[in-house]
Amino acid sequence: MADESLLSDDLLRQLVATGHVDILIGVPTLNNASTVVDLVRAAQSGLGKYFPRARALIFNADTGSDDGTPTLVRDATTDDTGTVSASKPLRTAHRISTPYHGMPGKGSAMRMIFAVADLLSADAVVALDPNVTSVTPEWIPALAGPVRDGHADLVAPRYPRAPSDAPLVTQLVRPLVRAAYGWTLYEPLMGEFGCSRAFATHCLEEPVWGTGVTADGVDLWMAAEALAHGFKPAQAALGPRLLDTPRKRPALPDVFQQVMDAVCACLELHDSYWLPRGQSEAVPCFGTLNGAVDVGPRPDVAGMAATFARDVKALHPVLERILSEPTLTGVTAAAATPSQLAYDDDLWAATVFEFLLAYHRAVMTREHVTQTLLPLYLGRTAAFLLEHASSGPATVDAALESLCLAFERAKPSAAALWKKA
Amino acid sequence: MTQMVAEAVRQASVNFWDTVAMLLPRILITASIVAVGWVIAWALKWAVRWILIWSRFNHGCERIGVTAVLKTADLPQPDVLVSLIVFWLVWIGFLLSGVDVLGFTALEGMVRAFAQFVPRLLVAIVILVLGVVIANFAWRATLIAAVNAKVPSPRVVSGAVRALVLILAGAMALDQIAVARTIVLTAFAIAFGAVMLGLAIAFGVGGGGIARRILDHWFPEHPQSEREEFRHL
């Protein structure tokens, strides 16, 4: 049962007036004036075109915008040109925008969205990321459809990725989550997703709200929670994921710290599930992926390789306390030849698991453990991009699959050491 | 004349044996105190060592970097070192109590002075240990942050931070036990001041350009349009 103190009296009145909904679209916002209008229009169009008979609510949980985002959400119309749309929904899609006054962050907003879904007995919940500029109306049925049809409790997104796109996901989070939880989830850091009310209610009852797990890593926590508690996972093929360019993007060390803290916290929370888990099972995917899109600038791979060599040398005294001798020898050898940098899959898998164990055992301050992994991650990324500089999408996909299998091979010994810790 | 000499010798002999008779019990008491003290100190040493092993004291010391420092200095493991310190402090206390019983004027007050010295010594040891812990933490934090921020010579920077903290802790510990106070304080002030002056001159003369670039980056005159960077997520 939702904690009704999350919902103000005014909001409760609006929700009671709305009544039961079939689909709830949740949009957590913080200063997204430049993108939220298009997102709401896409959501509205998707509801009208694919769920014309469904009772729907677009619910915006705003965590303190000062650029007028809530007003834009309320006032956004489907069509700004004044032309009449050929198809019209049979039911009104309600729209509520409300401020959230608790702990700032996406975690708090998601909690409110789940509370509203629970109160309104929504059959399907779709959460959208307002930073994404490529949301289309087709994303709504892709994320809500499998839930409404009873095929899934959690629908994660799957995007076409360019070879150099999102290495933090492809090189680290995806293979680690797959090896640990035993599911082939391509996008564990789900920026947008669909879920059932049962899953939303389950999440509300967990005592992690307000802690570091949900404050910085609610997306990953939700995916891990679904996998660890037997909810049916699925993936939906969406289009490319293009992000808005904010004026001030957080620095990579901060982003890396947040992601790693979220991953490690989830693994500690769910270790009774993933430690005995065996080989991975396939997560069904609905829809077809379009071809990969080359998004964003290319990194300076040669520079990254040279920096990796220098950083491994500088961090050697710290790495000695974290890595085993064979792994440290392998990493040092890899760093010795930056011009022909090769950081193979098994070595990388061993590196990540040993860092994970060091984090779990707290051999030093945990923040130091995760920050020490950052240069090695950059080295691995550089090695992968160097190797696949001119590879096609199929070759890259095969290489990423091989990486995931390397993580799965490394897992049993890591699990044995984890139990001893 | 002979009778006077004989009387003097007889008196001296009597005095001697009187002194021996007076001192012997005290010597025996002193020896007993020292022996009992050794036994108690030895028992306490093992009790403390057992408690430290049971509470995984060595593991904690390894985490905070104390074990590595002791190893570098060719000192025993932390639990052994602490138990040895306990042993010697307790036994020296009993030794001085025993010596006090002998009643030698020159040694009077030693027990009181020792009792006043021991707490300051313990505080100095705590300051040193804390200094080592903080120095190691600061060294590691500086090293990792400098590497990730692409600061040149990160090991030199982090090593300097550790050295500064250790020197400060050492000076504070010596000041606590009042050893060569004036010399330590003066030497510390001179060395610290010289290092700061050297850094200021080096940065001011050689780092002007770097400082200008850092300030331009943090406080741009004309905000630049966001240059798109490679995305990791």
Side-chain angles (χ1 to χ4, degrees):
Chain A
M1 184 67 186
D3 180 0
E4 288 177 356
S5 63
L6 286 173
L7 311 173
S8 65
D9 291 342
D10 181 51
L11 176 59
L12 274 172
R13 271 194 290 274
Q14 293 184 66
L15 292 173
V16 165
T18 304
H20 164 73
V21 295
D22 300 310
I23 300 175
L24 168 70
I25 296 183
V27 184
T29 55
L30 178 60
N31 293 325
N32 297 111
S34 58
T35 54
V36 76
V37 171
D38 289 336
L39 181 132
V40 169
R41 282 182 186 159
Q44 190 89 41
S45 294
L47 287 170
K49 191 172 167 188
Y50 296 99
F51 302 103
R53 296 178 181 276
R55 286 162 294 197
L57 167 65
I58 297 176
F59 179 74
N60 165 226
D62 186 81
T63 51
S65 296
D66 54 13
D67 62 353
T69 297
T71 309
L72 290 170
V73 170
R74 276 193 294 270
D75 298 344
T77 56
T78 311
D79 190 336
D80 205 30
T81 63
T83 57
V84 176
S85 176
S87 64
K88 281 199 174 292
L90 298 176
R91 292 181 186 266
T92 305
H94 298 272
R95 208 181 295 168
I96 294 174
S97 181
T98 190
Y100 181 80
H101 295 295
M103 232 172 108
K106 189 175 178 183
S108 307
M110 285 311 309
R111 190 182 183 196
M112 183 181 252
I113 290 169
F114 284 162
V116 169
D118 185 51
L119 188 70
L120 300 185
S121 303
D123 296 328
V125 181
V126 172
L128 298 176
D129 184 346
N131 295 304
V132 176
T133 59
S134 55
V135 176
T136 63
E138 284 66 36
W139 285 31
I140 307 304
L143 294 170
V147 177
R148 291 198 81 205
D149 296 340
H151 295 311
D153 291 302
L154 178 78
V155 181
R158 196 171 160 187
Y159 320 103
R161 293 275 196 196
S164 61
D165 199 16
L168 191 50
V169 174
T170 59
Q171 300 295 319
L172 182 53
V173 180
R174 180 194 297 171
L176 181 55
V177 169
R178 170 172 160 168
Y181 287 86
W183 291 95
T184 58
L185 198 64
Y186 278 75
E187 302 290 343
L189 302 175
M190 326 179 288
E192 36 282 311
F193 63 92
C195 72
S196 62
R197 179 160 50 94
F199 178 68
T201 310
H202 165 85
C203 287
L204 278 174
E205 288 165 0
E206 291 297 301
V208 297
W209 298 103
T211 66
V213 178
T214 49
D216 296 328
V218 67
D219 299 330
L220 177 65
W221 172 75
M222 286 187 291
E225 190 71 9
L227 299 177
H229 286 87
F231 289 94
K232 284 181 287 185
Q235 296 173 110
L238 304 177
R241 188 172 197 256
L242 303 177
L243 292 173
D244 184 31
T245 308
R247 287 181 60 80
K248 196 176 163 98
R249 188 179 298 135
L252 176 60
D254 297 329
V255 171
F256 190 83
Q257 181 77 48
Q258 275 187 6
V259 170
M260 283 309 300
D261 280 344
V263 169
C264 295
C266 287
L267 289 173
E268 287 192 322
L269 205 57
H270 301 132
D271 59 2
S272 58
Y273 170 79
W274 66 266
L275 282 172
R277 189 112 169 105
Q279 269 188 316
S280 57
E281 290 177 53
V283 174
C285 185
F286 295 88
T288 314
L289 274 180
N290 293 323
V293 174
D294 199 356
V295 290
R298 296 217 167 257
D300 172 20
V301 180
M304 284 168 73
T307 306
F308 171 64
R310 192 198 70 195
D311 292 347
V312 165
K313 197 174 164 191
L315 287 172
H316 201 269
V318 182
L319 291 173
E320 276 179 329
R321 290 191 61 189
I322 296 173
L323 297 176
S324 65
E325 207 179 314
T327 307
L328 183 57
T329 306
V331 170
T332 311
T337 51
S339 56
Q340 294 162 322
L341 181 58
Y343 200 152
D344 70 63
D345 295 348
D346 289 308
L347 179 62
W348 175 233
T351 303
V352 171
F353 274 114
E354 286 176 23
F355 266 83
L356 193 62
L357 285 166
Y359 185 98
H360 179 57
R361 288 174 181 156
V363 298
M364 60 182 71
T365 313
R366 285 178 160 184
E367 189 180 331
H368 291 177
V369 175
T370 47
Q371 288 293 328
T372 305
L373 181 58
L374 175 57
L376 275 63
Y377 152 74
L378 291 172
R380 162 65 193 187
T381 301
F384 185 83
L385 294 177
L386 269 174
E387 189 184 343
H388 295 284
S390 50
S391 299
T395 311
V396 171
D397 284 345
L400 292 175
E401 176 66 18
S402 165
L403 175 64
C404 291
L405 291 173
F407 271 72
E408 288 189 33
R409 284 195 297 275
K411 184 205 164 173
S413 54
L417 289 169
W418 181 286
K419 285 178 199 166
K420 281 189 200 166
Chain B
M1 177 78 168
T2 311
Q3 207 170 358
M4 279 172 65
V5 168
E7 180 61 27
V9 169
R10 191 191 68 80
Q11 191 61 41
S13 172
V14 164
N15 288 345
F16 172 75
W17 288 113
D18 283 346
T19 307
V20 168
M22 190 180 68
L23 270 181
L24 199 56
R26 290 184 186 179
I27 290 172
L28 286 173
I29 292 169
T30 300
S32 306
I33 290 173
V34 168
V36 166
W38 187 92
V39 170
I40 292 173
W42 181 88
L44 268 177
K45 178 181 107 173
W46 284 105
V48 164
R49 182 130 188 247
W50 184 85
I51 290 169
L52 293 176
I53 291 171
W54 173 80
S55 61
R56 298 184 71 195
F57 180 68
N58 279 358
H59 176 73
C61 288
E62 200 178 331
R63 261 197 69 196
I64 59 177
V66 169
T67 307
V69 171
L70 293 176
K71 206 172 167 184
T72 312
D74 214 15
L75 288 168
Q77 292 276 312
D79 60 337
V80 172
L81 189 62
V82 168
S83 59
L84 277 175
I85 291 172
V86 167
F87 171 82
W88 282 104
L89 280 176
V90 170
W91 198 43
I92 287 173
F94 275 99
L95 266 173
L96 291 174
S97 297
V99 164
D100 207 34
V101 165
L102 290 173
F104 292 139
T105 317
L107 300 176
E108 268 176 21
M110 273 186 74
V111 174
R112 196 180 323 120
F114 180 72
Q116 284 172 351
F117 175 74
V118 165
R120 291 208 307 270
L121 178 65
L122 289 174
V123 169
I125 291 172
V126 167
I127 289 172
L128 265 180
V129 170
L130 278 177
V132 165
V133 169
I134 293 170
N136 281 338
F137 181 88
W139 162 78
R140 195 169 52 234
T142 308
L143 176 63
I144 295 169
V147 163
N148 286 333
K150 313 282 180 261
V151 170
S153 306
R155 277 175 115 167
V156 170
V157 172
S158 58
V161 167
R162 174 154 64 180
L164 273 171
V165 175
L166 283 175
I167 290 168
L168 182 64
M172 287 169 68
L174 286 173
D175 183 63
Q176 182 64 34
I177 56 175
V179 169
R181 229 175 196 161
T182 311
I183 294 173
V184 167
L185 282 172
T186 309
F188 180 78
I190 291 171
F192 199 73
V195 166
M196 289 297 118
L197 181 64
L199 285 174
I201 292 171
F203 192 67
V205 172
I210 297 172
R212 191 176 305 117
R213 283 201 298 275
I214 291 171
L215 288 171
D216 277 343
H217 176 73
W218 286 106
F219 303 103
E221 196 175 327
H222 303 291
Q224 294 168 359
S225 58
E226 188 73 28
R227 187 176 63 85
E228 199 160 355
E229 292 172 5
F230 176 67
R231 285 199 175 119
H232 290 264
L233 270 181

